Amino acid sequence: MIEPFVHYGVHFLLPLAIALYFYKIVWKKAYIIMVLGMIIDLDHLLADPIFEANRCSINFHPLHSYYLIPLYILLVFPKKTRWIGLGLCIHLIADALDCRMMSY
């Protein structure tokens, strides 16, 4: 019951908190770009079935693979890609928490 609140809270509230705290002047732009990190969920369309409640996204879907996670982390460091990298990393944190909660 708490899983959806944690999952979507991390997806939407963590980027908002980061944007408001670190990027006060341009918080709306930072927030929108970070939330757009959810676009990597398009790879769920490649799965059959597209949605399965007890499936962990991490390393199942191509854009959620262990090979791409270091790339997403590296995107946080250059100033030009920081918000994109943060959005992708936050997305994967939300999905990892989801996977962790499934195992209990």
Side-chain angles (χ1 to χ4, degrees):
M1 184 66 178
I2 195 168
E3 289 89 354
F5 293 106
V6 171
H7 184 80
Y8 291 107
V10 172
H11 270 306
F12 292 103
L13 298 178
L14 185 56
L16 181 62
I18 290 171
L20 289 171
Y21 187 78
F22 292 105
Y23 306 104
K24 291 178 177 113
I25 296 170
V26 291
W27 74 269
K28 289 178 189 174
K29 184 177 180 181
Y31 177 67
I32 289 168
I33 292 172
M34 284 188 271
V35 168
L36 284 174
M38 287 195 291
I39 201 157
I40 68 169
D41 273 345
L42 287 175
D43 65 357
H44 290 236
L45 297 174
L46 301 173
D48 185 28
I50 291 173
F51 176 76
E52 187 175 318
N54 292 320
R55 179 171 58 209
C56 179
S57 296
I58 304 296
N59 212 40
F60 182 84
H61 301 292
L63 296 176
H64 293 70
S65 71
Y66 292 142
Y67 299 109
L68 290 177
I69 292 172
L71 174 66
Y72 301 154
I73 294 169
L74 288 174
L75 287 173
V76 173
F77 296 103
K79 192 173 184 179
K80 287 185 177 184
T81 60
R82 181 162 298 147
W83 295 338
I84 296 166
L86 283 169
L88 293 169
C89 289
I90 290 167
H91 178 91
L92 291 174
I93 289 167
D95 286 356
L97 286 171
D98 214 23
C99 295
R100 184 77 173 146
M101 286 186 286
M102 276 186 238
S103 66
Y104 286 108

